[in-house]
Amino acid sequence: MKTTVAQLNQHIGETIELEGWLIKKRSSGKIAFLQVRDGSGEVQAVASRAELDDASWAAVESLTQESTLRLGGAVRADDRAPSGVEIHLATCELLDQSPEFPISPKEHGVSFLAENRHLWLRSRRQRAALRVRSEVCQAIRDFFYERDFVLIDSPILTPAACEGTSTLFETDYFGNPAYLSQSGQLYLEPAAAAFGKVYCFGPTFRAEKSKTRRHLMEFWMVEPEVAFLEFGGLCELAEEFVVSLIGRVLDRCGAELDVLERDRTVLEASVAPFPRLTYSQAIEQLQAAGVEIEWGADFGAEEETLLASQHGKPVLVTHFPAAIKAFYMEPDPDDPKQVLGVDVLAPEGYGEIIGGSQRIHDHDLLLRRIREHELPLEAFEWYLDIRKYGTFPHSGFGMGIERFVAWVTGLPHLRETIPYPRMLNKIYP
Ligand code: 4AD
Ligand code: MG
């Protein structure tokens, strides 16, 4: 019966058939140990010269790393094997013999691996990281589905900037400029007036001119937006969301975290409530720690690392100076120099994983902000309409999932958390 590695433990004692790739082979001439991967998992097959017909043994002998094969044999329980089973080989068929595979078990440089991303995906650590990503994406969809949010797919081609004009990717749209979306937020706000609770989850684009381990040019962002949700509720939603995703990864991705040798201590400690501090308090803490920073300055990677590392769990920083945040953020009623914005900073040096705010819902104030930020009014008329026809307080946030996945997996660089990273000046493969 044809099956997969993941299903093998349901076939102990039976004879099965599998298709996959050879990871590695050890052979003594009379007996060969094949490590086989089929996408669902890895298993060892033991081949004995005495028990195979000539064609099968010839196939075993000609297997090279990444050759494709079809094997048949009996499934035996084996406590020492990570999969819990081993295959006693009865037949082996070489489907395609791979020439020398560029990625061997020896160490390779990062740029070599990046250029071979299409092949690097097969490596154990890469598979573990991308499985965690897949689980996180599913957990995100489940989180919002269970809370009755409606999925609203925001457009990729847009006529206006959401997060500042310095990181726009411009393209030609029938003779007019269009930009790849930096965020779906502006399109979610009108949808919140139609459905109450909405979210979008898709690729976003930023022409970040700097090369850091925390920035991609193309990344996936999940963004909820909720009508009549004010700032306090927004902070609670962000906290609940992060706690829920961590729980899901701890629950379902144990094997992957083992492969990645992820120390779970901080993840397990990341339960609610998360510490909260205002931007002003954060500045005081930083100054007390000897950092040269004045009120009004934006945080860099160093400041974020310092702020979050003191607590051993994510931290919510709120009430930022209006001048360093986006045009749409609602002013703090107690101090209009500040806005009702929140950043969630992950510990262990991963920095900002979430950015969000309450939105300006007063028409005239929003109009003034658009002008102050010198944004082209024509492109925002429709956005102002939301404040014209039955305006309502509302709030939302965005989480870059690569930042979250990098943190939960403990991977130092975002490039391993997305199948095909887009980085500064690099778009191959
Ligand atoms: O803080 P940002 O810029 O917020 C927004 O775009 C809002 N419009 C979201 C909203 O309120 N609906 O970006 C949100 C998150 C960041 O916290 C970070 O996790 C991620 O997006 N992010 C990036 N991730 C990878 N590479 C980049 N270049 C990123 N820029 C932002
Ligand atoms: Mg931000």
Side-chain angles (χ1 to χ4, degrees):
M1 186 215 283
K2 197 165 151 175
T3 186
T4 61
V5 171
Q7 302 281 314
L8 284 176
N9 53 11
Q10 294 167 32
H11 296 286
I12 290 166
E14 295 170 26
T15 297
I16 56 85
E17 203 178 272
L18 266 187
E19 285 161 347
W21 293 259
L22 184 82
I23 300 173
K24 215 161 58 186
K25 182 172 74 179
R26 262 189 310 128
S27 176
S28 69
K30 288 194 179 115
I31 189 152
F33 298 93
L34 313 179
Q35 229 181 317
V36 177
R37 167 176 64 76
D38 78 337
S40 76
E42 294 177 13
V43 67
Q44 174 165 277
V46 185
S48 157
R49 172 70 190 98
E51 292 170 30
L52 293 190
D53 60 38
D54 290 347
S56 285
W57 184 254
V60 167
E61 291 209 296
S62 55
L63 284 171
T64 51
Q65 184 191 352
E66 294 306 317
S67 289
T68 35
L69 70 152
R70 180 179 300 125
L71 61 78
V75 183
R76 293 195 296 219
D78 181 352
D79 292 341
R80 289 159 310 169
S83 61
V85 294
E86 189 176 77
I87 294 174
H88 190 79
L89 204 74
T91 60
C92 183
E93 202 181 325
L94 176 71
L95 301 179
D96 183 47
Q97 189 177 45
S98 173
E100 194 181 342
F101 195 63
I103 302 175
S104 61
K106 69 165 201 267
E107 290 272 318
H108 294 284
V110 163
S111 65
F112 175 81
L113 291 170
E115 270 177 38
N116 286 285
R117 182 60 172 165
H118 54 300
L119 304 177
W120 190 23
L121 290 179
R122 303 182 191 192
S123 302
R124 192 176 288 155
R125 286 175 60 86
Q126 300 309 308
R127 283 186 279 126
L130 294 179
R131 269 190 192 278
V132 173
R133 177 190 172 100
S134 172
E135 187 66 38
V136 166
C137 292
Q138 189 59 45
I140 286 169
R141 297 206 182 280
D142 291 347
F143 180 90
F144 290 118
Y145 187 77
E146 284 158 13
R147 287 162 183 76
D148 296 323
F149 281 65
V150 175
L151 174 69
I152 296 295
D153 299 308
S154 50
I156 303 290
L157 289 167
T158 65
C162 178
E163 295 298 325
T165 48
S166 63
T167 62
L168 286 172
F169 275 111
E170 189 176 323
T171 180
D172 172 68
Y173 197 75
F174 304 108
N176 287 311
Y179 310 99
L180 300 185
S181 176
Q182 297 170 307
S183 158
Q185 179 197 325
L186 304 188
Y187 294 92
L188 281 183
E189 293 181 49
F195 301 97
K197 297 193 276 186
V198 293
Y199 78 103
C200 67
F201 187 10
T204 47
F205 306 85
R206 301 209 186 162
E208 307 272 5
K209 310 295 183 317
S210 59
K211 195 169 156 183
T212 82
R213 60 193 190 89
R214 306 205 311 207
H215 288 92
L216 294 167
M217 306 301 127
E218 178 177 316
F219 62 98
W220 280 62
M221 184 154 42
V222 54
E223 300 177 79
E225 191 72 34
V226 184
F228 300 105
L229 183 72
E230 300 195 29
F231 191 61
L234 176 73
C235 294
E236 274 162 33
L237 181 67
E239 181 180 277
E240 188 188 347
F241 182 61
V242 172
V243 167
S244 153
L245 297 185
I246 294 169
R248 177 80 164 247
V249 170
L250 286 173
D251 209 30
R252 304 279 289 262
C253 299
E256 286 75 20
L257 296 182
D258 285 345
V259 167
L260 296 164
E261 297 169 284
R262 175 63 165 131
D263 175 356
R264 274 106 152 150
T265 319
V266 171
L267 300 180
E268 282 161 355
S270 294
V271 292
F274 293 163
R276 294 182 191 194
L277 62 164
T278 62
Y279 170 89
S280 300
Q281 290 169 329
I283 291 290
E284 279 168 25
Q285 285 191 6
L286 289 168
Q287 286 170 342
V291 180
E292 278 183 34
I293 190 167
E294 296 302 324
W295 198 96
D298 206 354
F299 300 142
E302 206 184 310
E303 287 82 22
E304 289 182 355
T305 299
L306 224 151
L307 286 170
S309 65
Q310 298 171 354
H311 303 276
K313 52 159 99 172
V315 175
L316 273 63
V317 182
T318 61
H319 300 84
F320 290 87
I324 58 167
K325 287 292 180 186
F327 72 96
Y328 51 71
M329 291 196 186
E330 175 78 2
D332 176 5
D334 297 329
D335 181 356
K337 280 199 312 301
Q338 304 178 163
V339 286
L340 299 179
V342 55
D343 279 3
V344 180
L345 309 181
E348 304 175 282
Y350 287 90
E352 181 193 330
I353 51 172
I354 284 183
S357 76
Q358 184 166 334
R359 322 302 191 189
I360 293 176
H361 63 280
D362 179 78
H363 178 278
D364 294 350
L365 175 59
L366 184 61
L367 180 62
R368 208 158 70 229
R369 281 289 150 85
I370 291 173
R371 290 200 169 119
E372 282 166 9
H373 283 251
E374 294 174 10
L375 294 166
L377 193 53
E378 331 74 74
F380 290 92
E381 302 274 7
W382 64 275
Y383 184 63
L384 279 159
D385 274 354
I386 308 314
R387 281 75 181 167
K388 198 152 122 194
Y389 302 105
T391 198
F392 55 106
H394 57 288
S395 304
F397 66 77
M399 183 181 86
I401 67 158
E402 291 78 13
R403 294 254 182 105
F404 179 79
V405 172
W407 173 48
V408 289
T409 55
L411 283 165
H413 199 298
L414 254 52
R415 70 181 154 232
E416 293 181 47
T417 64
I418 185 165
Y420 296 96
R422 296 294 172 237
M423 319 236 294
L424 188 64
N425 301 326
K426 281 206 192 102
I427 195 168
Y428 180 91

